[in-house]
Amino acid sequence: MPDACVVDPERVVEYPSYDLPREVWSQIQEAARQVEADHGWEYDTDLAVASGIKVGGYPGWTQSPDWPVCMCGARMEHLLTIATWEFSRGDERRWVPLEDRPAMIGWGFDSPDDHPWRSLQNPAGLMLGDAGGIYIFVCISCPERPHDHRFDCF
């Protein structure tokens, strides 16, 4: 059962990560390398898919992408992610909310259990598999809106 916590949605822009088409990657790879060299931000973890519990956007696949296909033949759309963690590491600059960043100072996997970053990382106290996530999908082509799900973990 999740711990009680506050839902404070914020809109973000995200892009496909592991399932970014090769032809698109070939067009942006030099710019992505330059951003990483200049700022230390990696495309997959810092610029593409927002981590955490979310509605819409792209799944934050832990394993290889596994989009469900509806019986009508259409690839289903990502509807909802329920994730163990809101972010994987304390240095994920883009996905830690601005108001929470001061509490991240001194974060580390070896930090004491009472360091604030641990409660920011997992406010609902979830553990899905080995820090995994559940992805809910829906077919927007069918009027009955059939749905499916995927589960993956580290």
Side-chain angles (χ1 to χ4, degrees):
M1 191 65 150
D3 296 339
C5 59
V6 175
V7 175
D8 189 14
E10 67 184 280
R11 186 178 299 255
V12 299
V13 176
E14 55 178 12
Y15 305 94
S17 177
Y18 299 116
D19 46 3
L20 182 71
R22 287 186 187 272
E23 60 273 8
V24 175
W25 177 247
S26 67
Q27 294 173 14
I28 68 166
Q29 67 183 345
E30 189 53 42
R33 286 185 187 128
Q34 191 62 51
V35 168
E36 185 173 354
D38 293 348
H39 305 285
W41 288 15
E42 296 178 25
Y43 178 80
D44 291 337
T45 56
D46 298 309
L47 300 175
V49 178
S51 51
I53 297 172
K54 63 182 176 180
V55 175
Y58 294 93
W61 303 110
T62 303
Q63 299 173 6
S64 296
D66 183 22
W67 290 87
V69 175
C70 181
M71 291 177 60
C72 75
R75 185 180 90 171
M76 292 186 163
E77 297 293 322
H78 175 250
L79 177 65
L80 173 70
T81 292
I82 302 168
T84 294
W85 294 335
E86 289 302 305
F87 51 87
S88 295
R89 306 176 326 266
D91 64 345
E92 291 178 334
R93 297 169 198 88
R94 181 165 181 208
W95 308 122
V96 175
L98 292 172
E99 63 271 14
D100 291 339
R101 291 181 186 174
M104 299 302 295
I105 295 171
W107 82 274
F109 292 111
D110 59 349
S111 298
D113 289 343
D114 62 347
H115 190 284
W117 89 273
R118 294 191 186 276
S119 62
L120 294 173
Q121 181 191 42
N122 189 359
L126 296 174
M127 183 52 70
L128 304 170
D130 185 12
I134 299 169
Y135 312 102
I136 309 295
F137 299 87
V138 64
C139 180
I140 59 173
S141 298
C142 294
E144 339 38 79
R145 299 288 190 250
H147 59 278
D148 201 348
H149 73 282
R150 296 291 187 263
F151 173 78
D152 70 357
C153 62
F154 290 102

